[in-house]
Amino acid sequence: MEFDLASQPEIVQQAVDYALQAWDLAKSWALSPAAWSQFALLIVAYLLAVVAARRLRGFLTRVLTPAPEADSYLAQGRRAALLTLPLLLPLLAYLFTAIGESVVRSVFDSGAVIAFGKRVFLFLAVRTLVREIIKDPFLNLLGRYVLIPVAALYAVGLLDPLIGKLNELTISLGNISFTVMSLVRGVIAGGVLFWLGGWSNRQTTQFIENQKDMRPSLRQLTAKVLEFTIFGIAFLLLLNIMGINLSALAVIGGAIGVGLGFGLQKIASNFISGVILLIEGQATVGDFVELDGGESGQIVKMTARAAILETFDGRWIVVPNEDFITTRVVNYSDSGSANRYEAPFSVSYDTDINLVPGIIEAAVSTHPDVLDTPFPPDCELRGFGDSGIDFAVEFWVNGIDDGANKYTSDVLFLIWNALKDHDIEIPYPQRVVELKGSLPQVQG
């Protein structure tokens, strides 16, 4: 079968050439006894795989299914293994076909048909893996648009020629050169490596956060060090996979160093300040701090560049780490240490003031959040005012008197009720007015 395609574009000529090769291959398979025997072995291998997969699925389901309440690492691993059961059929078919291929090649010295069938079963296994097992959005996207097409090209025998073509194309950037295949391999490997880096970083961060014996600042520092280490290793592995000589990055590294020295001084300063804060533990997540400029809030997150404060009215304040080192910062340590507050009040001049301290201290002590250590409630006489005698009760609590906690308000309620129960008058403002001379006469 010949066609005159001289006037057609080159791509059309190549397509027709490939089609003719496929047609000749199909005719040779159809007329060859060896090919028919390989087709028969493929069918037998598939039927055996169906029977074996059906029996193994039931057995493995019984063995791998953990108790519903089990939550150990072993139980989680068994549940993950259960998800891979759909792979049984294509993988068993691939295995039986591989055995049949070795038999056919020893008898006929040819196995193209059964080798093609083996690659098809591998493609079906890859498609099952992507469609039914991989649930992560990024990995599923990578599987649908990279893994499945690669498996399809491998199944039809076009993967090796395509790789050869891509290896012939070279891209040069200054003194760095790499092939298009290296770039494609780097994109795929980079996506997988950085996904693995993110996953391992989340796992290690969760593990570190569960170590309650470590100081919060030390946990934060350890998590950050591991994060930079994991992604640094991923970056170096990516460069190695792409075939880029690390020594070729010396010029780029020098340029980055100059940039850090001139344009990124503040970023470098804030990063180093953040490391110092995490090491010394002067301020960490959970602490309530007040800055030199008057801003105050609870530290809810510490990044490489800044700390994020959340005020009690819901605002977020981003504070550079350098400010915690170079300016005055008041740390109320809302994460555990006690703070002292006071509630002022007054009583009438008719009151026996010797009774007031004991009454008020006993009342304030009934508050569930008021502490006995470092000091119990202490009622002090503060002065003699215009309208009454001024007192104040000092008390210690864990936390800040704001937001969800209203300690001073609660204590004032206790003071009011205690004074009322003991008939002690809380004075109103009083003024004495002296009139000189006689009152004017009112004439009716």
Side-chain angles (χ1 to χ4, degrees):
M1 185 182 298
E2 296 183 359
F3 301 95
D4 185 10
L5 302 175
S7 60
Q8 299 298 323
E10 182 179 358
I11 187 173
V12 175
Q13 297 178 25
Q14 291 181 353
V16 173
D17 184 49
Y18 286 140
L20 291 175
Q21 293 179 21
W23 172 253
D24 293 336
L25 181 63
K27 285 196 304 181
S28 65
W29 285 1
L31 301 176
S32 171
W36 282 104
S37 63
Q38 292 177 49
F39 278 123
L41 280 176
L42 280 176
I43 296 173
V44 171
Y46 179 75
L47 293 177
L48 285 175
V50 170
V51 174
R54 188 174 300 167
R55 299 198 174 203
L56 279 175
R57 180 186 285 269
F59 171 75
L60 292 176
T61 301
R62 291 192 302 270
V63 171
L64 295 176
T65 302
E69 67 278 1
D71 196 30
S72 62
Y73 287 112
L74 179 60
Q76 294 177 11
R78 292 166 66 183
R79 291 191 181 96
L82 282 172
L83 298 177
T84 63
L85 292 182
L87 287 174
L88 275 176
L89 178 58
L91 289 181
L92 286 174
Y94 178 85
L95 176 63
F96 294 150
T97 304
I99 296 173
E101 181 186 9
S102 63
V103 174
V104 169
R105 289 191 182 277
S106 64
V107 175
F108 295 102
D109 196 23
S110 173
V113 175
I114 200 168
F116 173 74
K118 185 178 69 171
R119 296 196 298 268
V120 170
F121 287 136
L122 183 61
F123 167 76
L124 294 177
V126 170
R127 192 181 67 166
T128 302
L129 175 67
V130 173
R131 291 188 174 184
E132 300 185 28
I133 298 175
I134 297 178
K135 301 300 181 183
D136 183 83
F138 173 77
L139 291 182
N140 190 269
L141 182 69
L142 196 65
R144 283 190 288 118
Y145 293 102
V146 176
L147 192 58
I148 290 180
V150 168
L153 290 173
Y154 175 72
V156 297
L158 296 178
L159 183 60
D160 290 338
L162 179 61
I163 292 176
K165 290 290 185 181
L166 294 179
N167 279 324
E168 294 174 0
L169 300 176
T170 304
I171 300 175
S172 297
L173 296 175
N175 61 339
I176 301 176
S177 62
F178 47 87
T179 64
V180 175
M181 187 61 207
S182 298
L183 181 61
V184 174
R185 189 166 55 236
V187 171
I188 298 173
V192 174
L193 282 174
F194 282 97
W195 179 88
L196 285 173
W199 178 83
S200 58
N201 180 58
R202 290 190 296 271
Q203 298 299 316
T204 53
T205 300
Q206 183 179 2
F207 175 77
I208 292 171
E209 290 297 327
N210 291 333
Q211 308 306 308
K212 302 302 181 183
D213 295 336
M214 299 173 63
R215 289 189 296 114
S217 59
L218 186 57
R219 292 201 299 265
Q220 289 279 325
L221 177 61
T222 305
K224 290 297 180 185
V225 170
L226 287 175
E227 180 179 358
F228 284 115
T229 302
I230 289 170
F231 284 104
I233 293 174
F235 179 70
L236 294 177
L237 287 175
L238 177 59
L239 293 180
N240 188 42
I241 291 172
M242 292 183 65
I244 298 176
N245 189 358
L246 297 181
S247 61
L249 298 177
V251 177
I252 299 177
I256 293 175
V258 173
L260 286 173
F262 288 97
L264 304 177
Q265 291 182 5
K266 281 294 184 182
I267 294 178
S269 175
N270 285 318
F271 176 77
I272 296 173
S273 299
V275 173
I276 294 173
L277 285 173
L278 292 174
I279 293 176
E280 295 183 350
Q282 295 177 350
T284 186
V285 174
D287 288 353
F288 189 92
V289 297
E290 182 179 348
L291 305 179
D292 203 20
E295 301 91 347
S296 61
Q298 186 179 36
I299 301 177
V300 294
K301 186 178 182 181
M302 296 191 73
T303 65
R305 186 189 66 85
I308 299 177
L309 309 185
E310 184 177 13
T311 64
F312 287 120
D313 55 3
R315 293 179 300 166
W316 276 25
I317 304 175
V318 180
V319 182
N321 291 327
E322 187 182 13
D323 290 358
F324 286 90
I325 304 296
T326 59
T327 62
R328 184 182 66 89
V329 178
V330 179
N331 190 343
Y332 291 94
S333 297
D334 192 26
S335 59
S337 64
N339 297 304
R340 190 191 71 176
Y341 298 97
E342 67 175 40
F345 65 97
S346 300
V347 297
S348 171
Y349 275 100
D350 297 332
T351 305
D352 183 358
I353 60 174
N354 297 295
L355 302 176
V356 172
I359 295 172
I360 298 303
E361 291 170 0
V364 175
S365 297
T366 61
H367 193 286
D369 294 326
V370 172
L371 305 175
D372 291 330
T373 55
F375 301 101
D378 180 27
C379 185
E380 299 177 352
L381 176 64
R382 292 295 175 85
F384 302 99
D386 295 336
S387 303
I389 303 173
D390 298 329
F391 284 87
V393 60
E394 297 175 347
F395 59 95
W396 289 78
V397 292
N398 275 326
I400 303 300
D401 184 26
D402 203 344
N405 301 318
K406 304 294 183 184
Y407 299 121
T408 302
S409 175
D410 295 342
V411 168
L412 288 173
F413 271 106
L414 293 173
I415 292 172
W416 172 274
N417 294 326
L419 295 178
K420 288 297 183 181
D421 291 342
H422 291 83
D423 297 323
I424 297 176
E425 180 183 354
I426 299 176
Y428 295 97
Q430 299 178 8
R431 296 290 182 269
V432 177
V433 180
E434 182 180 352
L435 298 177
K436 293 185 177 181
S438 59
L439 294 174
Q441 299 295 324
V442 179
Q443 297 179 358

